Amino acid sequence: MSTTHEAGWAHAPGGLRGPNWLQPPTDPNALVASLWSSTAHKEDGDLVVGGVAVADLVAEHNTPAYVLDEADFRARAQAFRDAFADYDVYYAGKAFLCTSVARWVAEEGLSLDVCSPGELTIALRAQFDPARIGYHGNNKTHPELRRAVASGVGRIVVDSFAEIERLAQITEELDLVQGVMVRVTAGVEAHTHEYIATAHEDQKFGFSITSGDAFDAVRRVEAAPGLRLLGLHSHIGSQIFDASGFEVAARRVLRLHARVGDELGVTMPEMDLGGGFGIAYTTQDDPSEPARLASEMTKIVQDECRGLEIEVPRLSIEPGRAIVGPSMCTVYTVGTVKPVALDGGAVRTYVSVDGGMSDNIRTALYDADYSCTIAARASAAPPVLARVVGKHCEAGDIVVRDEFLPADVAPGDLLAVPGTGAYCRSMASNYNHALRPPVIAVRDGETRVLLRRETEDDLLATDVGA
Ligand code: LLP
């Protein structure tokens, strides 16, 4: 059944409008350029990224696949490096990391933030200079810390009193001195999804400034002979557009920085302001350019330092999503198209693809919105409001909650979702024993597999039950 009228959604009886922000496109084949990597465009309906037609890439590598636009990734890394020229820019590897990407990060002159033994392993395998690695985590084990110290990691961001004790002991045993930053909680409610806000009091990260724990942690680091106190670290959350949360946090952190100077007589040389810069997933989002972010952040810090009569410390930031997020898209094959009648006579078109929450959990986990386009043909059909879903065994397995697709979308069509570079492959799972898709870099008409597709042998390799 279908209620699609040939004049389009607006004329369809009981036609669904979708969310207010989503306008039916005049041409459902066209890309919304701001949501795609810089080289992405359409040629007669064929999506081309990095000079490679996605249909050709799929003919060789199949779907689902993550397609990484190398030139776009490098350009975004460069943009942060240049805009924040007086800062150290740490690429947050949790957004997406593999050996090649760690090398690109090094080649573009950025430092690297890791937060697990696995991420450290990848970084070291890429021969990333350990002195330019920052190590995060709220529950780092003794062996994990020992390895980080022994590897020569430049800074470890401590997050608990237990960790400070562990590090003090490890540095004594190894007779090494370790650079340390103290993760603080600024008591700010960042305007983002609750699960990715990290500076309010009632969550697991950091030492509270309000309770006095942060000052105490600084004192303990300072007192440990093997620990070199570099400074304070504040990260208020992720996918943030509004500078006000950041401004409040920076003020509170700088006041603590000044207090440490006054009361302990210690001038901490550095300060990290975290990552979290939002990107455009849909036309609702309007992210700032790195240059604007840099001038706003620098002004906030300079003004506050002037007021406190302190020197501006060496600043660093940790963008992940804003570098890799827009650089990747995910390509799927449509398997089924099912018009579903809703109360009131409206119809929602469910388009099932050959992936889902195992390759992009963000829609289910954070109510994230995405967009998509058919990638290998032009269509003259009018737009219908579609919901793109995966092939997993639950109703919340949604990839794109609302998008207008041509009404003739059909099994076999390729469908591409932009903005999937950050926290999609890195949070991918084997739910339902799905095989995680490959990451394929495209550049100047060439493709290169960075991560291969998993195979059933990979699944069986860990299943030792025989
Ligand atoms: N620094 C620290 C200490 C962090 O915890 C994070 C992200 C970042 C930097 C990088 O934030 P970014 O610039 O990428 O926003 N899985 C969630 C995001 C979790 C962010 C975790 N920490 C998502 O998919 O939205």
Side-chain angles (χ1 to χ4, degrees):
M1 109 182 244
S2 169
T3 54
T4 307
H5 187 276
E6 57 187 8
W9 70 274
H11 302 272
L16 281 183
R17 260 220 68 108
N20 285 339
W21 58 264
L22 186 64
Q23 294 305 314
T26 41
D27 175 4
N29 299 296
L31 295 186
V32 178
S34 58
L35 310 181
W36 289 83
S37 66
S38 51
T39 72
H41 63 281
K42 287 229 177 143
E43 291 175 14
D44 294 332
D46 274 335
L47 176 64
V48 178
V49 186
V52 176
V54 160
D56 293 343
L57 179 145
V58 168
E60 198 181 338
H61 299 282
N62 211 340
T63 55
Y66 301 102
V67 179
L68 172 54
D69 184 337
E70 179 177 346
D72 184 88
F73 180 97
R74 288 181 182 272
R76 289 178 203 275
Q78 286 160 17
F80 269 97
R81 181 198 64 203
D82 295 346
F84 288 87
D86 299 334
Y87 292 52
D88 292 311
V89 179
Y90 285 73
Y91 169 68
K94 66 204 83 187
F96 175 70
L97 193 67
C98 62
T99 312
S100 305
V101 162
R103 290 200 190 106
W104 299 353
V105 170
E107 285 161 12
E108 299 307 335
L110 271 55
S111 301
L112 182 64
D113 148 19
V114 301
C115 67
S116 69
E119 287 179 10
L120 181 62
T121 296
I122 302 294
L124 296 177
R125 181 179 189 223
Q127 297 185 312
F128 205 95
D129 177 4
R132 300 185 62 168
I133 295 178
Y135 201 115
H136 271 283
N138 66 301
N139 183 14
K140 309 180 196 79
T141 63
H142 196 285
E144 191 179 341
L145 287 167
R146 193 182 169 92
R147 177 174 175 228
V149 173
S151 307
V153 160
R155 66 190 208 185
I156 294 180
V157 185
V158 296
D159 197 294
S160 68
F161 291 119
E163 185 185 352
I164 297 173
E165 271 171 42
R166 278 174 212 160
L167 262 185
Q169 194 191 335
I170 290 165
T171 48
E172 197 182 326
E173 280 164 18
L174 296 178
D175 194 21
L176 290 170
V177 172
Q178 177 61 53
V180 165
M181 301 199 87
V182 175
R183 171 84 179 256
V184 302
T185 313
V188 170
E189 303 280 342
H191 296 159
T192 188
H193 192 280
E194 178 193 347
Y195 292 173
I196 53 177
T198 52
H200 52 297
E201 296 286 346
D202 189 4
Q203 47 82 43
K204 69 176 183 171
F205 290 110
F207 293 97
S208 160
I209 296 181
T210 321
S211 74
D213 281 357
F215 188 79
D216 204 15
V218 167
R219 195 167 28 203
R220 292 196 206 182
V221 170
E222 176 60 14
L227 306 186
R228 187 157 50 89
L229 176 64
L230 297 176
L232 303 176
H233 186 295
S234 160
H235 169 77
I236 63 169
S238 196
Q239 185 61 359
I240 292 171
F241 297 97
D242 175 6
S244 61
F246 166 76
E247 182 165 0
V248 175
R251 291 225 170 90
R252 294 186 183 158
V253 178
L254 280 162
R255 262 178 256 147
L256 175 61
H257 178 97
R259 184 179 158 213
V260 168
D262 288 346
E263 295 185 24
L264 301 183
V266 175
T267 305
M268 294 183 282
E270 298 183 23
M271 178 173 292
D272 194 295
L273 304 169
F277 313 113
I279 64 165
Y281 287 105
T282 66
T283 51
Q284 299 169 96
D285 305 321
D286 186 17
S288 296
E289 293 297 314
R292 175 144 176 236
L293 293 170
S295 67
E296 284 176 3
M297 290 172 72
T298 305
K299 186 175 180 323
I300 290 168
V301 172
Q302 281 175 346
D303 288 353
E304 190 65 18
C305 286
R306 200 172 305 120
L308 292 165
E309 297 181 3
I310 56 171
E311 295 272 306
V312 178
R314 169 89 184 167
L315 298 170
S316 52
I317 53 164
E318 294 172 339
R321 187 193 314 265
I323 294 178
V324 72
S327 301
M328 245 192 260
C329 63
T330 311
V331 185
Y332 302 98
T333 302
V334 173
T336 68
V337 177
K338 187 191 286 183
V340 173
L342 309 180
D343 287 349
V347 168
R348 193 187 302 284
T349 302
Y350 278 83
V351 176
S352 292
V353 294
D354 53 352
M357 63 196 300
S358 55
D359 58 73
N360 185 352
I361 189 68
R362 297 195 69 261
T363 310
L365 193 55
Y366 312 116
D367 286 328
D369 286 311
Y370 283 90
S371 73
C372 61
T373 188
I374 55 167
R377 70 181 172 94
S379 168
V384 286
L385 187 70
R387 176 161 292 170
V388 179
V389 295
K391 60 182 292 167
H392 294 283
C393 58
E394 56 185 281
D397 174 26
I398 297 169
V399 180
V400 182
R401 194 173 305 278
D402 297 291
E403 177 61 292
F404 285 98
L405 288 174
D408 62 356
V409 59
D413 270 331
L414 296 183
L415 200 105
V417 177
T420 56
Y423 307 107
C424 289
R425 178 58 176 78
S426 70
M427 293 177 79
S429 75
N430 292 118
Y431 185 34
N432 297 148
H433 283 179
L435 304 172
R436 287 179 298 172
V439 175
I440 301 170
V442 289
R443 181 183 178 177
D444 298 335
E446 304 283 328
T447 60
R448 190 153 65 98
V449 176
L450 304 188
L451 291 178
R452 68 160 170 79
R453 185 183 305 284
E454 282 180 332
T455 63
E456 291 201 341
D457 282 344
D458 292 324
L459 294 181
L460 294 173
T462 56
D463 185 346
V464 293

